[in-house]
Amino acid sequence: MQFQSPVLVGRSEETSALRAAVARAGQGRGGAVFLVGEPGIGKSRLASELAAHAADRGFRVLRGRASRAVPLRALCEAVLSAFRKAPDEQQLGAYLPVVLRMTPDAPAGVPDPAVVRAEAVLRLFTAEKTVVVLEDLHDADGETLAIVDYLLDNLAGEPVLLLATLRPHPDGAQRLADSAVARRVAFALRLTGLRDAEVAELACRLLGEPLPADVLAQLTKIADGVPFVVEELLNGDLRAVPPTVAAATLHRVDALGPACVALLEAAAIFGPVFPLDVVAAVAEVADATKLLQEAERAQLVHGDRFRHALTADAIRGRMTPTARASLARKAARTTEVLRPNELELVAELWEAAGDTAGAVHSLVRAGKHAAALGRFETAVELLERGQAMTSDPDLTADLLDALATVLPLAAVVVPADNGARAFALGERLQQALTAAGAEPGRRAAVRLAQARVAAVAGQWERGLDLIASAKETDAAVDVVKATLLFGLNQLDLLPKARELAERAAATGTPEIVCEALEVLTRCTRGQDLAEARQHVRRWQQVAEQHGLAAWRLRALLELGVADKYLSIDVTTLLAARRAALDAGAIVILIAADLHLASTYLVRGEYDEAARCGASAAEAAGKLGLDALQLLAVAVEAGIAAMHGRRKETDQALARLRENGGSEEIWSYSSAVCALMEERYDRALAEFEEVERAVTEPRILRGTFYQGPRLLVRVAHGLAGWPEYERLAESHLAQVLLHRVYLAWSRAVLLGRDGRADEAGEAAAEALELGTGLGLPRYLGLRLAGPAALADGWGDPLEWVREAEEYFHRLGVPAVAAACRAVLREAGAPRQRRWRDHDTVPAELRKLGVTVREHEVLRLVVDRYGNAEIAEQLFLSPRTVERHVASLKARTGRTTRADLISYARPLIGGSAPM
């Protein structure tokens, strides 16, 4: 008979503390507990008791066990157990693919920054009331510990209790626990041995009767209060208590049949947890499941793991070194066939077999695979473990080459440290190469990798210094140097950067071609957006053809940015956002939201801009992506500025300035707010601040201050044709936003020169270009109207009325009042206004339809022609035509019939004819 106590003995205080922690988690006050103790002290039993208690109270219980052979194993097991039922996709959102990429068979594709992976795990765990049990944290890899650390800081206020077991070793797990306790995000329970009375109680519960005093005395002496040892000894021969736990364990093993013993010996090679399919193949047994059940009845295993690590140690320990090595070698070969993605485990088995070359080759492959998944910490850990194994020059060279390929990833997935850790690794590599007397080519490869890190980290000069000795005959060298030269942002270096990128795009691997085309896109975007778009299209095709998921996403985002500049169209940006959402590419998703927010801001769709900006701000703030979070604050400042809300604008800009935000953004947003306050002197002063702040070459930028600055200066007689020509002949003239301002400025200058017909044509162009936009259209109407009145051209009264309606509806009283003053001075009849514009249906108001457009739309729905509408509303037919075009653009309709079908249910009208 085998014995295991049905009752947990001697842990009442610990049990009470853990149950209290579960109760707090149930109330939404989550946290973490570390169970610390020596092997066999009862950590796992106490954790199991807690898990059962939590499950009885409706908690989801997720479990995982750490393993040195399999990085992220504990968390992967917990994640997989969460997927036993369909995951809460709404809770996980874009993080669902990130969680799925943690599974062992995940393909390489989109690399995830460590903080993104940690946030994904957090969202999965917090989707419902959950207890997470992570056992043997002392065996965890650095990446697992980093994710656990992130969880610890984010469980307060969540219905989650994290329970981790570990041994009291001075390692990373213990340091993590000590730090968490110190900052009060967790508490630790340190388990000590049972007292003599508790050992007696445990023995009585195991046997069903008290032990004789002499046997109990011997048992107490040998067991030293360790519950597992008590159980193992009592499962042995009580007439002569075995002197060791190993003897007690092996006594039970030998009582089993030969096939079952062979299965257990094969399993022991893998350690406490074993893959049953591989073990069965190694042991060459027919019915492994039946044999496993036999071992479980003997209290040796539980499922696919030994009941305690000491059990596996005992079985493995009695084998001869030769037998262990032979079995490990067989296990390594079998695992390579049956579990080809578990390369870390294969390496561990080759190491146990004494085959250093096999272990190192597996670690190289494992490191590269981890790097492809964006697991930089794991990749470096695996490759440096291989370095510690061997001094063989060829093996060392392979490891160093693999480490060099991982280097740039360090700066990509750990952006917060500006590449410092990657540079440190590069220095260690150089020292190792020097010590090994490596050939110059290998050292050059590491320098190239370091230069890539510099490019990612924005340390352009440092990168060029590293790559200075490299010959420009290799596509990889060309593309890195091109990236670094472009990053210096010096116009005289752009031709050289472009030349190198073109050469790399012609001769490189698919990845290098994509990288080179990205550089070409950035080199040409400032001069020719259409050419830049062609480069992105080719980049997208190469990425799709070769299955380069991350490059495809980046290309799609870049296409969206090009369309943003060319047409203020969001279709491609929305497609990029959807693709990033589907792929769980969180950083690209945040970037897409920021570009969408700035585009909606230009379009005057402020609710959408606020929604996208808030989404980006929340995600970037959660992940500690400070630069992206500052851009979200800039969107917030822009929205407040467009509404003339000075206090909110200044508050947002103060946050930018305090955290290193651009002076350009500060001055531009403040200038726009001044325009909405009708404080043109201040606006011009702020624009001058922008001019002084921006000293580098003018590449396409997100703030777009040049167009409105020109128009304000022209309208106030401070600028003439020379200043207009400078902007019109610059690369900025290809941007739709600036084209609108340029057209308005040209109209005012032509009118001032007495060229009324040409001025009217320029104004018509501005109105057409500005259809569906916000500030570019209506600031133009506001400033061009008085100029047209003074110089006698265009349709100034209608323009000022439209501007007044827009700014009144937007809640910008200063500009609306200024427009009304212009109309009064011109002797125009007082504008008829429906109270609060309530007659414009809510859906149409949301689209930006003005009162005048609504008037036109009602007559369109009643099937009046443009001339008839013009007659009824005292407008020109051309003005009506512009209103109809604007209505089509706002509602997304392409024909008049579509517009009528869409609008009739909203505003009523005659029955269809």
Side-chain angles (χ1 to χ4, degrees), residues 719-793:
W721 286 108
E723 190 168 327
Y724 166 85
E725 295 294 346
R726 280 197 297 273
L727 183 59
E729 292 171 3
S730 77
H731 63 286
L732 295 174
Q734 63 190 310
V735 177
L736 177 61
L737 173 96
H738 290 307
R739 291 169 64 200
V740 178
Y741 286 117
L742 282 166
W744 281 121
S745 299
R746 186 169 69 254
V748 173
L749 289 171
L750 287 167
R752 191 171 294 159
D753 289 347
R755 298 153 68 179
D757 290 343
E758 293 174 79
E761 291 172 1
E765 180 186 345
L767 286 166
E768 183 178 354
L769 290 172
T771 299
L773 301 187
L775 188 68
R777 178 185 181 91
Y778 294 101
L779 182 63
L781 291 170
R782 161 68 185 96
L783 294 176
L789 272 171
D791 297 326
W793 58 274

Side-chain angles (χ1 to χ4, degrees), residues 777-829:
R777 178 185 181 91
Y778 294 101
L779 182 63
L781 291 170
R782 161 68 185 96
L783 294 176
L789 272 171
D791 297 326
W793 58 274
D795 195 359
L797 293 181
E798 177 56 30
W799 296 343
V800 177
R801 285 193 187 99
E802 184 179 343
E804 192 278 337
E805 287 178 357
Y806 175 80
F807 288 111
H808 176 84
R809 179 170 50 84
L810 190 61
V812 186
V815 183
C819 290
R820 289 193 293 272
V822 172
L823 292 169
R824 283 196 304 272
E825 290 173 9

